[in-house]
Amino acid sequence: YEVPIHKALQHMGSDFMDGMMVSETSRLVSMSTRNFQRMFKSLTGRSFVQMLQEIRIRHSCGMLQYTRMSVQSIAEMIGIYDMNYFYRLFREKYGMTPGQFRLLHNLEGTW
């Protein structure tokens, strides 16, 4: 079962901005949704949704560091349209707001 899960992770990494659903991803790897979710969590230690959130939040970090896009635009680009939800996920992962992260990790110096 590692090969289908690996294929699913690759798909998640490349298409995370779209409205990705577990049912579509399980079909992509020719597994039932229930079996896919069980194997995914067993092999990754995270649920499909948790992994998708992590991929999206990690990608937002690069955008915060290397672009001047607004936080709202970044959230929407990674597929999160509820700003309160985005801020909550980001704060849970990094212990700060996206704006604070940008100030701390801005690699181009001050703008």
Side-chain angles (χ1 to χ4, degrees):
Y1 287 105
E2 289 180 25
V3 172
I5 301 304
H6 181 71
K7 183 177 179 182
L9 286 167
Q10 287 178 320
H11 174 68
M12 291 172 77
S14 62
D15 291 337
F16 65 89
M17 291 184 224
D18 298 328
M20 184 173 290
M21 297 177 62
V22 67
S23 58
E24 295 170 3
T25 306
S26 64
R27 271 195 304 273
L28 175 74
V29 297
S30 303
M31 294 177 76
S32 71
T33 300
R34 180 181 165 107
N35 194 34
F36 172 76
Q37 288 177 304
R38 191 171 352 123
M39 296 310 296
F40 190 93
K41 181 147 187 161
S42 173
L43 292 171
T44 66
R46 293 178 179 81
S47 71
F48 178 85
V49 171
Q50 289 171 326
M51 183 65 76
L52 184 57
Q53 290 169 344
E54 185 171 326
I55 290 168
R56 287 175 168 166
I57 293 299
R58 285 186 181 187
H59 188 75
S60 74
C61 290
M63 295 176 81
L64 288 164
Q65 288 178 292
Y66 298 108
T67 74
R68 294 183 184 187
M69 293 174 64
S70 71
V71 173
Q72 182 170 352
S73 294
I74 291 171
E76 290 172 0
M77 289 222 29
I78 64 166
I80 299 176
Y81 300 94
D82 180 339
M83 288 305 294
N84 290 328
Y85 182 60
F86 177 68
Y87 273 87
R88 183 170 53 88
L89 288 175
F90 199 95
R91 195 175 313 221
E92 285 174 6
K93 178 77 175 163
Y94 294 103
M96 64 184 81
T97 67
Q100 291 168 329
F101 181 91
R102 175 175 266 165
L103 288 173
L104 187 63
H105 298 282
N106 180 358
L107 298 181
E108 291 186 17
T110 55
W111 292 330

